[in-house]
Amino acid sequence: MKRALKVVGVVALLLVVAGGGLFGWASLTVSASLGRTLTAHEVDIPVPFPLSEAELSALRQERLAERAAAGEPSPDATGAEADVLAGVDLDALALERAIERGRHLVGARYACGECHGREDFSGGVMVDDPAMGSLLGPNLTPAGPTRDFDVSDWDHIVRHGILPDGRPAMMPSEDFVRMSDRELSDIIAFLRAQPPVENEVAASRLGPVGTLLAAFGKLPLSADLLTDHQAAHIVEPPATEPTAEFGRHLVAICTGCHRANLEGGPIAAGPPDWLPAANLTPHADGLAGWTFEDFDAALRRGVRPDGSALRPPMTIVQPYAQAMTETERRALWAYLETVAPQPQGE
Ligand code: HEC
Ligand code: HEC
């Protein structure tokens, strides 16, 4: 009996030592990984983008129409074009339009506030769990760390998952790699225009389970998923039309949960109590037989064709879907109709 107890005691001790050793190894592995310095290309992107030729010519038409309505003589077609816009602050107008586009991008497509603060972008929560860790979205208003960012710093964190000092970030930037320069520029213009809010957000850290998962490669860092940090980005997004091409661009907000091929299944990055994501491919396990109207009702009102309600975490998406334009929702549907049917993801 005594001997048996002794054996049990020794085994328990060994387990504690091995477990402690494993955890020690995991902590070291993860801090080494998070302490690395990575390099990405430098970018040169105007903030805001200047008004396009199409916007300038629309403005000229407007001015000419105003003049005609006021009974002013119309300038002759030669050389007088520039004059029509004299006195219009084109830079201020470009900035105003960029901020409005940025507001839409953040509110309908890229959901930055979901982790950085829904109300005022002054800081928020991605995960806060004693086991997984606390991954907090820093303050994105001009009172936070971005006050000193240049456009390359913005590019690195948003499209490469790399912090300004070169360390890999715990932000899931793989959802944003296909963001165009114009969209990034618009988002920067919008965030820079937010009222500064003083709010210090604590540094993100992994808990014990998060550390083990990360050490075993189950929580890959965006900076590692993206192998080429020198590749050029697209400058302009696809044309805003209800096409599969534009829909493929928009689907980035969905693939983090529904997976790149949209087969659905357990959500790797989510907490264990999240339901598996639905299959969004045209397969019997997925959306085969759905119409655009069915899809639209699910997205904006959270109801399926049989009247049942969609459950969390899909409900997170509803306000963003409501902020999308009809063209954006039709484009998403056009893209979903073209993807290869897949059985439900495991
Ligand atoms: C799913 C949650 C999530 C979303 C969505 C998200 N972020 Fe983040 N972001 C984080 C987390 C977590 C960190 C902290 C990363 C770290 O410290 O390793 C972070 C860090 C940052 C930083 C770095 C601030 C600093 O301290 O240097 C910036 C800038 C940033 N995010 C901008 C954005 C923008 C812009 C968007 C939208 C295009 C966005 N984020 C979307 C979670 C998110
Ligand atoms: C935060 C994770 C998450 C994101 C982001 C997300 N979804 Fe979902 N989605 C889910 C989950 C989980 C379900 C299953 C809900 C349920 O079973 O009630 C679901 C269900 C759905 C359904 C219902 C399908 C069915 O057969 O019942 C549709 C349609 C859908 N999502 C579309 C989208 C689209 C389009 C996007 C991007 C704009 C998106 N989702 C983004 C998690 C997400």
Side-chain angles (χ1 to χ4, degrees):
M1 185 63 196
K2 245 190 182 165
R3 186 151 177 202
L5 274 181
K6 215 175 189 178
V7 171
V8 170
V10 169
V11 169
L13 188 70
L14 277 176
L15 279 177
V16 169
V17 170
L22 178 70
F23 189 70
W25 164 80
S27 301
L28 283 176
T29 307
V30 172
S31 50
S33 162
L34 290 175
R36 281 171 301 156
T37 304
L38 304 167
T39 46
H41 57 189
E42 294 294 307
V43 294
D44 187 12
I45 304 172
V47 182
F49 262 51
L51 296 172
S52 66
E53 273 314 313
E55 284 178 296
L56 287 172
S57 92
L59 278 174
R60 282 187 200 110
Q61 297 305 321
E62 260 172 51
R63 284 300 294 264
L64 288 173
E66 277 167 24
R67 285 196 183 193
E72 287 171 35
S74 179
D76 52 61
T78 53
E81 279 229 322
D83 209 28
V84 178
L85 294 180
V88 179
D89 189 342
L90 296 177
D91 293 339
L93 197 58
L95 180 60
E96 195 182 298
R97 291 186 175 182
I99 292 170
E100 280 318 305
R101 289 192 303 266
R103 187 189 312 283
H104 179 70
L105 291 173
V106 164
R109 284 192 209 166
Y110 293 113
C112 315
E114 203 51 41
C115 303
H116 289 278
R118 286 184 204 93
E119 297 298 321
D120 59 7
F121 305 95
S122 71
V125 176
M126 173 170 142
V127 177
D128 195 8
D129 177 85
M132 286 299 288
S134 95
L135 302 184
L136 307 175
N139 181 352
L140 297 185
T141 75
T146 60
R147 89 177 77 75
D148 307 319
F149 275 33
D150 60 25
V151 283
S152 287
D153 295 329
W154 281 104
D155 168 56
H156 293 172
I157 179 66
V158 175
R159 301 191 292 190
H160 300 261
I162 299 176
L163 292 163
D165 64 6
R167 286 177 303 119
M170 287 189 275
M171 164 164 144
S173 305
E174 64 272 18
D175 295 357
F176 308 131
V177 288
R178 289 211 295 261
M179 187 188 286
S180 61
D181 289 348
R182 177 185 280 275
E183 289 166 295
L184 180 62
S185 171
D186 290 345
I187 290 174
I188 297 171
F190 169 73
L191 290 171
R192 282 184 181 160
Q194 295 309 297
V197 179
E198 297 290 341
N199 181 34
E200 188 90 23
V201 175
S204 289
R205 47 163 201 83
L206 289 168
V209 173
T211 302
L212 286 171
L213 288 174
F216 284 105
K218 300 290 178 203
L219 292 179
L221 294 161
S222 301
D224 292 329
L225 292 173
L226 251 163
T227 45
D228 188 353
H229 291 293
Q230 306 302 327
H233 303 276
I234 53 169
V235 176
E236 297 280 347
T240 309
E241 287 163 3
T243 57
E245 191 200 358
F246 185 43
R248 179 173 177 273
H249 183 72
L250 301 176
V251 86
I253 188 180
C254 322
T255 50
C257 291
H258 289 276
R259 302 189 183 174
N261 68 358
L262 300 164
E263 65 184 355
I267 302 170
D273 60 335
W274 273 14
L275 287 171
N279 183 325
L280 300 186
T281 73
H283 183 276
D285 290 352
L287 305 185
W290 283 43
T291 62
F292 168 71
E293 284 68 30
D294 295 335
F295 172 71
D296 203 34
L299 223 50
R300 288 200 293 164
R301 293 193 285 113
V303 282
R304 291 196 189 80
D306 67 5
S308 62
L310 291 180
R311 295 160 295 175
M314 183 56 202
T315 42
I316 297 174
V317 181
Q318 207 166 313
Y320 299 99
Q322 287 168 352
M324 282 180 198
T325 61
E326 181 171 341
T327 304
E328 287 171 327
R329 287 177 278 112
R330 284 194 182 275
L332 266 177
W333 180 244
Y335 174 65
L336 293 182
E337 284 189 300
T338 65
V339 304
Q342 304 283 347
Q344 176 73 23
E346 298 288 324

